[in-house]
Amino acid sequence: MASPTVTGLLVLGFLLLVLLIRIRRAVGTAVSSAAMGVGALAAVNLTGLVTGVVLPWNLFTMLVCLVLGAPGVVSMLVLQLFWV
């Protein structure tokens, strides 16, 4: 029969393993969302020759793309539609 200390360590190790798996999944999701945001910004600027719609590459637009992803690019396009 295992002692309470060994049982406690096993439970703690299992909980730590579950936590690490969830953090890894969250980081992977955040990185893919940021990459899709930057890709959407690049796509908008590449099609800008045809559509006439471009978004500048500056610190603000890059932060919006990295944090919010593709919905951030769409939001900036809508804002540009209203203010320009």
Side-chain angles (χ1 to χ4, degrees):
M1 182 168 198
S3 69
T5 306
V6 173
T7 305
L9 287 175
L10 285 175
V11 169
L12 185 64
F14 178 74
L15 291 176
L16 183 62
L17 181 65
V18 169
L19 180 67
L20 287 175
I21 290 171
R22 287 185 183 218
I23 288 174
R24 189 174 187 189
R25 186 178 306 154
V27 169
T29 303
V31 168
S32 66
S33 175
M36 289 178 65
V38 172
L41 181 63
V44 166
N45 287 328
L46 285 175
T47 60
L49 294 173
V50 178
T51 62
V53 177
V54 292
L55 290 172
W57 289 85
N58 57 31
L59 182 62
F60 176 73
T61 57
M62 288 305 295
L63 286 175
V64 169
C65 291
L66 291 174
V67 173
L68 299 176
V73 176
V74 173
S75 299
M76 287 188 296
L77 287 172
V78 170
L79 289 173
Q80 185 179 22
L81 177 70
F82 287 123
W83 271 287
V84 172

